[in-house]
Amino acid sequence: MTINNKEKNKNHVSCRRSCLLFDPITEKCSIKDGVNVDSPYEVLRCYHFINKNETDSDFDSSDDSIDLVHSEWIDDDDIFYEFVGKSRINEENSKYPHEPDFPSKREDAYWYVSPEKDFGCWIIFKYKKPMLIPRSIEEAEKGWSWKVYKSPIPLHNHNASLSLASKMAWYIDKDGYGQYVLLANGKISTISSPKPRFWK
């Protein structure tokens, strides 16, 4: 973070200070386990907070109290948190990745399985133009993180736990950039990489 000043740190937006889903008794997020409730970055990744209008737009944050150096978080591997009270998946009964264990509950999502059959996810396409599939993630046009790039399908595994794997979606935004998001009851719950304010 470029917030060096202690006074500014006291006033930053966070789950604890700014979200109705924060439980003051347990001092945790009421729907996701393991969330750092004092991190301004978690607020930007949480679609329940940043998208109060319940519309699938882009993932910009307009909060002027947050100034992020995005590179501090782009290599975070444990970015998708387990839901509180989630139902466990019996590995023997799971059809993942060939079929999802849970429906998307969306009309604009379809199930995709990687060519190697090592992972699957939903695809949600908001870009209005046709897209070519890059030959590799290295050749894809990059966004603000190595995990965000222009491709109609994901070129890297989300590596989500089995309980979350069938809730993962590759979301291609209106500008053609794709990134992983987590679905909950058909709504986007968490995004992997919020777009920094300084991004073109």
Side-chain angles (χ1 to χ4, degrees):
M1 285 190 322
T2 57
I3 307 173
N4 297 322
N5 156 339
K6 285 185 180 176
E7 203 54 42
K8 208 168 181 184
N9 263 338
K10 286 182 191 171
N11 299 320
H12 72 250
V13 175
S14 68
C15 303
R16 182 188 299 275
R17 295 171 48 83
S18 317
C19 186
L20 294 175
L21 295 174
F22 173 74
D23 181 354
I25 296 171
T26 62
E27 296 194 337
K28 295 179 179 178
C29 174
S30 61
I31 62 168
K32 294 177 200 162
D33 282 333
V35 176
N36 178 351
V37 296
D38 295 310
S39 166
Y41 183 64
E42 297 302 337
V43 170
L44 295 181
R45 291 186 51 242
C46 181
Y47 214 62
H48 296 288
F49 184 82
I50 66 171
N51 198 25
K52 293 174 184 170
N53 297 328
E54 297 290 332
T55 56
D56 289 339
S57 56
D58 54 25
F59 302 125
D60 288 326
S61 170
S62 58
D63 194 288
D64 292 330
S65 68
I66 300 173
D67 187 15
L68 299 174
V69 175
H70 194 73
S71 61
E72 289 185 32
W73 292 283
I74 59 176
D75 292 326
D76 182 8
D77 287 330
D78 298 321
I79 55 176
F80 292 107
Y81 300 106
E82 302 288 344
F83 288 111
V84 172
K86 67 189 177 299
S87 59
R88 294 279 178 191
I89 298 295
N90 183 333
E91 288 191 36
E92 292 178 11
N93 297 334
S94 175
K95 297 178 182 177
Y96 177 85
H98 306 288
E99 294 178 32
D101 292 320
F102 304 104
S104 71
K105 298 188 179 179
R106 296 179 66 106
E107 292 183 4
D108 62 349
Y110 67 91
W111 187 250
Y112 165 80
V113 180
S114 70
E116 297 80 17
K117 309 283 191 275
D118 58 341
F119 72 95
C121 68
W122 297 98
I123 303 285
I124 301 171
F125 205 86
K126 295 297 182 182
Y127 191 51
K128 301 299 184 189
K129 300 175 184 176
M131 295 179 79
L132 295 174
I133 300 172
R135 282 184 279 191
S136 67
I137 193 170
E138 291 77 24
E139 293 186 24
E141 182 180 335
K142 299 294 186 300
W144 48 95
S145 159
W146 74 266
K147 297 176 182 177
V148 177
Y149 48 86
K150 289 192 172 181
S151 175
I153 59 170
L155 302 174
H156 71 286
N157 192 333
H158 50 70
N159 293 316
S161 66
L162 186 59
S163 63
L164 295 182
S166 296
K167 297 176 181 178
M168 298 302 301
W170 182 249
Y171 182 99
I172 301 99
D173 69 17
K174 63 182 183 179
D175 297 318
Y177 289 101
Q179 68 172 292
Y180 282 117
V181 300
L182 180 63
L183 299 179
N185 291 320
K187 301 289 185 185
I188 293 170
S189 172
T190 310
I191 63 174
S192 55
S193 299
K195 187 186 290 185
R197 247 194 335 268
F198 56 78
W199 180 254
K200 57 186 176 182

